[in-house]
Amino acid sequence: MTFHSMWAELLPIGRDSASGGYRRYAWTGADADCRTWFQEQAEARGLTYEVDRNGNQWAWLGDPAAGNAVVTGSHLDSVPDGGAFDGPLGVVSSFAALDELRSRNARFTKPLAIVNFGDEEGARFGLACVGSRLTAGQLTVEQAHRLTDGDGITLPRAMEAAGYDPDTIGADPERLARIGAFVELHVEQGRALDLSGDRVGIAGAIWPHGRWRFDFRGEANHAGTTRLADRRDPMLSYAETVLAARREAELAGAVATFGKIVVEPNGVNAIPSLVRGWLDSRAADQERLDTVVGGIEKAARAYAEAHGVDLDIVRESFTPVVEFDHALRDELARILGKDTDPGLKVPVLGTGAGHDAGILSGSIPTAMLFVRNPTGVSHSPAEHAAEDDCVAGVTALADVLEGLACR
Ligand code: HGY
Ligand code: MN
Ligand code: MN
């Protein structure tokens, strides 16, 4: 199967016809269809297919127990109305790179595996990278049991409904101990490669980032009959906090986003009783991130007090800065630079986006390849990468896997 035909097969799964975006949320029907596709790809290639205790899918070439395995892959789930590339490009490219290596008659000296990590985006339960966090022991079973979607369905019940056993979830050090290196290919979520004129880059670091929930609680009342002076309107303090987030992020050279909001009772003619907003904030270093989030929290408390509104702030997730393994990164640069002019180096890029490779970097050597995105747009139906660049990404991944697993 070519890159093109695999891509075409995945393309309709979970795509909303009105928005053109993807709604592939963990443990839903669209996710199940993506998983079936993964299993079929594994079996069509004679790979050993397995699902680990956290619901991540694996396709093995060689003996999984032999150790020092080279693993590649990414995720197939999406944000609400996400693009086609964030995640799936890495999984499709992994199968295509294996096909390329087989056509080169590559002689593997180590086991090779392709992985689809579950629930990378956290669109349904609010926490990103659940599959890799559980595996790495960065999310406890108790914490995972408390994850609940917007309809009140817990993660264990959602897994069960999708036909998986939630009683098995938990840290999986034995699995990680089998892996010598993990390389994730991903569409770039910025324009650095477009600006430098390169098709492929290597990841240097991931910014520290997190999600905070702000609950502003006021008093529901009639929109027509309640005097302005008598209101305790949480929407006002929420709105002022959104502006403060922008201001604090600009001051610190960071980013801060309120992208999700729940309003109760959510009636046109009712002053809200609750406004719940989620802050996503990221910065190049921890100190800056602390400054931004601290500034936003302080402003939010002052606005809440001014409007007679109660405020609770909960940090729902946090990922510290990730510096990818320098030795592995240099190895990738050496492999990818060997056929080019020594003056032409593969660019090394930092990113504000989180990835399973970042989560696993605390346990095993990990690295990432980025493929050019001509507009930089991501987490949107407009996300795009040219097919030529995707194919260049497959070749680069095949070169890297050959360099790591065939020596
Ligand atoms: O960066 C994110 O929001 C997610 O982990 N992809
Ligand atoms: Mn993403
Ligand atoms: Mn992704």
Side-chain angles (χ1 to χ4, degrees):
M1 255 204 162
T2 61
F3 175 90
H4 187 86
S5 55
M6 280 191 279
W7 195 251
E9 268 187 14
L10 261 185
L11 221 46
I13 301 177
R15 187 169 179 272
D16 182 72
S17 55
S19 70
Y22 288 88
R23 299 178 181 178
R24 295 169 175 164
Y25 310 141
W27 312 116
T28 61
D31 189 43
D33 290 346
C34 289
R35 286 168 172 274
T36 300
W37 175 88
F38 183 97
Q39 183 173 357
E40 286 169 0
Q41 295 303 316
E43 289 170 355
R45 289 169 175 80
L47 305 175
T48 306
Y49 172 76
E50 59 174 350
V51 179
D52 70 20
R53 54 187 298 184
N54 296 308
N56 306 305
Q57 294 178 293
W58 299 77
W60 287 89
L61 177 72
D63 178 5
N68 211 13
V70 175
V71 179
T72 185
S74 190
H75 62 97
L76 293 173
D77 68 316
S78 79
V79 296
D81 285 336
F85 294 80
D86 177 355
L89 183 63
V91 179
V92 171
S93 297
S94 298
F95 283 114
L98 172 60
D99 295 345
E100 162 78 18
L101 290 179
R102 281 177 159 169
S103 75
R104 290 182 195 172
N105 291 318
R107 295 172 63 84
F108 292 92
T109 55
K110 297 172 188 166
L112 180 82
I114 297 172
V115 60
N116 167 33
F117 281 110
D119 199 3
E120 194 276 346
E121 296 288 9
R124 182 168 176 190
F125 298 101
L127 177 67
C129 301
V130 169
S132 56
R133 275 186 212 272
L134 276 167
T135 301
Q138 292 183 24
L139 176 67
T140 66
V141 176
E142 295 70 35
Q143 288 167 329
H145 279 210
R146 285 200 293 272
L147 292 175
T148 307
D149 73 7
D151 296 324
I153 300 170
T154 61
L155 174 69
R157 296 292 77 77
M159 284 181 79
E160 207 167 50
Y164 293 81
D165 180 3
D167 293 337
T168 64
I169 64 171
D172 202 347
E174 294 85 12
R175 178 165 294 271
L176 292 176
R178 294 171 173 180
I179 303 172
F182 174 57
V183 181
E184 178 172 0
L185 178 145
H186 205 277
V187 68
E188 197 201 343
Q189 296 168 293
R191 284 192 57 221
L193 293 173
D194 185 53
L195 295 172
S196 69
D198 295 283
R199 291 180 187 275
V200 175
I202 299 172
I206 297 180
W207 284 14
H209 56 282
R211 299 179 181 185
W212 290 259
R213 196 185 74 226
F214 285 58
D215 287 348
F216 297 91
R217 290 179 199 279
E219 185 180 42
N221 213 331
H222 196 292
T225 59
T226 316
R227 294 186 325 144
L228 294 180
D230 293 339
R231 297 180 182 209
R232 291 173 53 221
D233 184 350
M235 188 63 83
L236 295 176
S237 28
Y238 170 71
E240 287 169 324
T241 303
V242 174
L243 298 177
R246 172 69 184 225
R247 207 166 49 236
E248 293 291 332
E250 272 173 3
L251 279 172
V255 288
T257 309
F258 278 95
K260 179 175 173 180
I261 180 174
V262 167
V263 180
E264 290 178 6
N266 211 19
V268 179
N269 53 357
I271 298 160
S273 56
L274 168 77
V275 176
R276 173 170 288 158
W278 281 264
L279 169 70
D280 176 311
S281 188
R282 312 180 189 214
D285 56 65
Q286 184 67 53
E287 202 183 327
R288 262 184 243 219
L289 186 58
D290 290 345
T291 304
V292 172
V293 177
I296 298 168
E297 287 185 0
K298 190 169 166 215
R301 293 195 194 286
Y303 297 135
E305 196 180 333
H307 293 290
V309 163
D310 295 326
L311 172 62
D312 286 316
I313 303 172
V314 178
R315 190 179 82 173
E316 290 197 334
S317 70
F318 180 72
T319 309
V321 66
V322 171
E323 268 284 335
F324 285 105
D325 186 271
H326 285 199
L328 185 58
R329 188 188 74 189
D330 292 349
E331 179 73 358
L332 262 59
R334 192 191 60 71
I335 293 167
L336 297 179
K338 72 180 188 315
D339 294 330
T340 56
D341 183 318
L344 287 177
K345 293 216 165 32
V346 184
V348 176
L349 315 175
T351 177
H355 300 284
D356 295 309
I359 300 297
L360 295 185
S361 70
S363 308
I364 54 174
T366 64
M368 291 189 74
L369 293 175
F370 291 129
V371 171
R372 177 162 59 185
N373 174 339
T375 61
V377 171
S378 186
H379 285 187
S380 147
E383 181 183 78
H384 184 68
E387 190 162 332
D388 281 2
D389 288 348
C390 295
V391 171
V394 171
T395 305
L397 183 61
D399 291 348
V400 164
L401 298 177
E402 187 170 23
L404 296 175
C406 304
R407 60 175 184 204

